[in-house]
Amino acid sequence: MVTSSAHERRAGARSTYLISMAACPTHRGLDRLGDSWVSLILKELADGPRRHGELARAVAGATQKMLTQTLQALQRDGLVARSVIDSIPPRVEYRLTPLGETLLPVMAMVTEWAERHIGDIDTARATYDSVTSN
Amino acid sequence: MVTSSAHERRAGARSTYLISMAACPTHRGLDRLGDSWVSLILKELADGPRRHGELARAVAGATQKMLTQTLQALQRDGLVARSVIDSIPPRVEYRLTPLGETLLPVMAMVTEWAERHIGDIDTARATYDSVTSN
DNA sequence: CAGAATCCAGGCGGATACTG
DNA sequence: CAGTATCCGCCTGGATTCTG
């Protein structure tokens, strides 16, 4: 099993605070979106279906392992659909499900925010570092 | 140093693919927001300044270590401001910076999406699991 | 009360090799 | 081409203890 987040897992181990956060949808949602390669994959699939190999190239930097793993997680959550056209060689296509498409506007907003403010963050970071560590 | 994301660090280690993702603002933004406790802290600070202890209680489930660590990261990114009113016992207040406040609409949208669709995700997940593992 | 410091298990993700 | 399986180092985050 590849799916449940670190928190879910740990929450299962000890008994406490299941209540306080496990049920928070926002937290859970961000947990998915934050999952390292999700944003890149989603961005790629936003333009239409992609084959496995195409994704591998587009999302360069992701290990093949991570790519498959992430795609499976997205599939499990019903955000991405996988279809096999078995021929030789095999073709596998991934596409957004309708549910997955509802994510695009959200992603767009995050992107807009990030592009607008990433500079401020870098500045703040540089300032903080120079003040702190010298 | 507590700050740089797993990817940044690993990207530094090996030389490849710095190009393809390190610079993507969306990815970087989500990397922050996805940071496990950020959403909960932000949610709390959205209603106004909070003391350390208040946050500790509100974000129950976070270790003291994680709380401090996350707050420092947010501070470094210029999203949260820390002010010390030194008295005995000491008071420390955290509040959103103006930059941090620009995040609230984004968070709101994520929250709305999550609340609306988290059910679908759970359904999809249950279906997937029952099909896969039986 | 706020937080820094240390110790340590367990999980994450990279590299590699192998199947249909 | 698409995907699985195994091995393993490193980082993350929890528990605990100690200051101002």
Side-chain angles (χ1 to χ4, degrees), chain B residues 10 51-53 64 68 72 82 89-90 92 94:
Chain B
R10 226 161 295 133
R51 300 189 48 188
H52 182 102
Q64 180 269 331
T68 304
Q72 285 174 346
R82 192 183 94 121
V92 178
Y94 294 90

Side-chain angles (χ1 to χ4, degrees), chain A:
Chain A
M1 192 61 48
V2 97
T3 342
S4 59
S5 77
H7 287 303
E8 291 176 52
R9 256 174 282 112
R10 226 162 297 133
R14 278 279 182 257
S15 60
T16 337
Y17 65 75
L18 287 167
I19 322 90
S20 50
M21 52 163 297
C24 170
T26 307
H27 188 272
R28 292 186 53 200
L30 282 171
D31 214 33
R32 271 283 138 258
L33 293 186
D35 236 24
S36 303
W37 309 104
V38 171
S39 62
L40 301 183
I41 293 180
L42 256 41
K43 183 186 172 188
E44 208 45 40
L45 292 182
D47 300 331
R50 291 278 182 278
R51 300 188 47 188
H52 183 102
E54 296 179 309
L55 284 175
R57 259 166 274 119
V59 189
T63 316
Q64 183 271 334
K65 178 187 177 183
M66 281 301 98
L67 186 59
T68 303
Q69 203 165 291
T70 306
L71 283 168
Q72 284 174 347
L74 291 172
Q75 235 188 295
R76 186 168 106 109
D77 288 349
L79 298 170
V80 162
R82 192 183 94 121
S83 42
V84 196
I85 300 103
D86 63 82
S87 52
I88 298 180
R91 286 177 71 90
V92 179
E93 270 195 1
Y94 294 91
R95 79 185 63 205
L96 291 180
T97 61
L99 180 57
E101 283 170 2
T102 65
L103 252 167
L104 295 180
V106 181
M107 290 285 299
M109 189 164 186
V110 174
T111 299
E112 197 199 328
W113 182 88
E115 285 174 350
R116 179 133 63 200
H117 296 292
I118 201 73
D120 301 334
I121 290 190
D122 285 332
T123 306
R125 214 176 270 196
T127 307
Y128 184 94
D129 289 348
S130 65
V131 171
T132 303
S133 69
N134 80 352

Side-chain angles (χ1 to χ4, degrees), chain B residues 11-30:
Chain B
R14 278 278 182 256
S15 60
T16 338
Y17 65 73
L18 287 167
I19 321 91
S20 50
M21 50 163 298
C24 171
T26 306
H27 187 273
R28 292 186 52 199
L30 283 171

